[in-house]
């Protein structure tokens, strides 16, 4: 029977050579994508992917994530860079679990001992935060700033947006005499698409610079509240069995821990 299938289908792969996979639900629920993709087929990380994880040229930043997602996500229907940040994080954690298991160790502050200690997070128990609000026909969400009462529209960040923000922030920090990062403002400029109906990038940038902090903080809080993704606030357990509240941090060993 297997030989018959192989003869009929040139792309046929015997079962023992197929890479295991799961169907992973996206927290955006497909709302942000033209093809309304709600879930994707994702293969496990295997020994063949270790060259990506260990390469010194690509082991840091979003590049390694893009390469892994292009290798492992099989039915997305668009470029992985256009995935919402929360969906990318969900897939990243899934791939980490398939490669090294659910446990991830990081330093966590222990208030009783007034110091940081090693503690373990169970990645499989992190909750998903679903997108519950639909954008308009332009893929934009609306918010009224509480202090200036200005109406803004914005989009949620994609992987491509994050890369643009990081590159611009690095360039501007190098030019600043004090090396100060302006990432908060750069991120808002990337996300905001209109202010009071005006869509000029120059107008948006100039208006943002004059807004009260109350307005920008309220907007950032609103964006964070509606953004889909993984609940990074969690608990970790120490070797002594203590349970400590913490946030998951993606350290340099997230995809290449010592084993």
């Amino acid at each position: 029977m297997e030989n018959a299938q192989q003869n009929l289908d040139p792309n046929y792969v015997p079962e023992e050579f197929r890479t295991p996979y799961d169907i992973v639900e996206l927290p955006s629920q497909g709302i942000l994508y033209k093809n309304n993709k709600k879930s994707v087929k994702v293969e496990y990380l295997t020994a063949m992917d270790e060259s990506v994880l260990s390469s010194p040229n690509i082991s840091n930043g979003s590049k390694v994530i893009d390469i892994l997602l292009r290798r492992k996500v099989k039915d997305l229907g668009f470029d992985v860079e256009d995935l919402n940040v929360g969906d990318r994080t969900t897939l990243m954690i899934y791939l980490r679990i398939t490669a090294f298991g659910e446990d991830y160790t990081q330093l966590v502050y222990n208030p009783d001992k007034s110091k940081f200690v090693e503690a373990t997070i169970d990645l499989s128990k992190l909750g998903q935060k679903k997108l519950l609000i639909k954008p308009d026909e332009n893929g934009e969400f609306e918010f009224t700033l509480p202090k200036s009462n200005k109406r803004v529209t914005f989009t949620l960040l994609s992987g491509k947006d994050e890369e643009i923000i990081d590159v611009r922030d690095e360039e501007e920090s190098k030019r600043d005499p004090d090396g100060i990062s302006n990432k908060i403002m750069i991120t808002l400029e990337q996300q905001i698409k209109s202010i009071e109906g005006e869509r000029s990038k120059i107008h948006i940038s100039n208006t943002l610079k004059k807004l009260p902090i109350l307005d920008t903080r309220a907007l950032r809080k609103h964006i964070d509240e509606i953004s889909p993704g993984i609940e990074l606030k969690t608990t970790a357990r120490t070797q002594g069995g203590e349970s400590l509240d913490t946030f998951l941090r993606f350290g340099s060993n997230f995809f290449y821990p010592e084993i």
Side-chain angles (χ1 to χ4, degrees), residues 80-255:
V80 296
E81 287 187 348
D82 294 320
L83 272 167
N84 169 260
V85 168
D87 287 343
R88 285 167 63 90
T89 301
T90 300
L91 296 175
M92 181 172 70
I93 291 174
Y94 167 81
L95 289 175
R96 170 55 166 72
I97 290 173
T98 69
F100 302 107
E102 296 88 354
D103 288 346
Y104 173 61
T105 300
Q106 68 177 39
L107 289 177
V108 176
Y109 186 71
N110 187 331
D112 293 335
K113 297 182 179 179
S114 299
K115 66 177 183 180
F116 284 90
V117 298
E118 279 198 349
T120 301
I121 294 171
D122 185 341
L123 298 175
S124 68
K125 293 184 178 179
L126 297 173
Q128 241 190 42
K129 180 184 171 189
K130 302 287 189 181
L131 179 61
L132 302 176
I133 303 174
K134 289 187 177 181
D136 63 19
E137 63 276 7
N138 297 316
E140 298 172 12
F141 301 85
E142 185 177 308
F143 183 72
T144 300
L145 302 175
K147 183 70 173 177
S148 63
N149 207 38
K150 294 182 183 294
R151 183 179 62 87
V152 303
T153 63
F154 62 89
T155 55
L156 301 180
L157 292 177
S158 66
K160 187 180 295 181
D161 289 323
E162 282 200 320
E163 185 174 357
I164 291 170
I165 291 165
D166 288 341
V167 169
R168 184 179 162 193
D169 180 50
E170 183 178 358
E171 291 174 349
E172 293 189 7
S173 296
K174 288 178 180 177
R175 292 197 298 267
D176 189 282
D178 298 313
I180 296 174
S181 170
N182 201 25
K183 196 167 187 176
I184 290 176
M185 185 65 69
I186 294 170
T187 301
L188 286 175
E189 287 182 0
Q190 186 68 21
Q191 287 191 276
I192 294 176
K193 302 306 176 184
S194 72
I195 299 180
E196 288 293 296
E198 176 58 61
R199 306 184 78 86
S200 163
K201 286 288 188 182
I202 296 176
H203 175 82
I204 291 172
S205 179
N206 289 336
T207 302
L208 268 174
K209 292 172 183 175
K210 298 174 184 177
L211 285 177
I213 290 178
L214 180 65
D215 277 347
T216 55
R217 290 188 69 176
L219 176 58
R220 288 165 53 211
K221 181 180 178 182
H222 175 70
I223 292 174
D224 182 63
E225 287 174 346
I226 71 169
S227 294
I230 294 292
E231 295 284 3
L232 301 181
K233 185 177 181 180
T234 184
T235 58
R237 67 180 185 278
T238 67
Q239 290 183 347
E242 295 175 279
S243 182
L244 300 174
D245 292 333
T246 188
F247 284 88
L248 172 65
R249 300 189 308 276
F250 300 103
S252 58
N253 67 332
F254 187 79
F255 266 122

Side-chain angles (χ1 to χ4, degrees), residues 24-26 28-40 75-78 83 87 131 134-135:
V24 180
E25 299 291 327
L26 300 177
S28 69
Q29 303 189 85
I31 293 173
L32 301 174
Y33 310 126
K34 290 182 179 179
N35 66 355
N36 298 313
K37 196 70 176 177
K38 296 181 179 180
S39 61
V40 288
D75 59 349
L76 185 58
F78 54 88
L83 272 167
D87 287 343
L131 179 61
K134 289 187 177 181

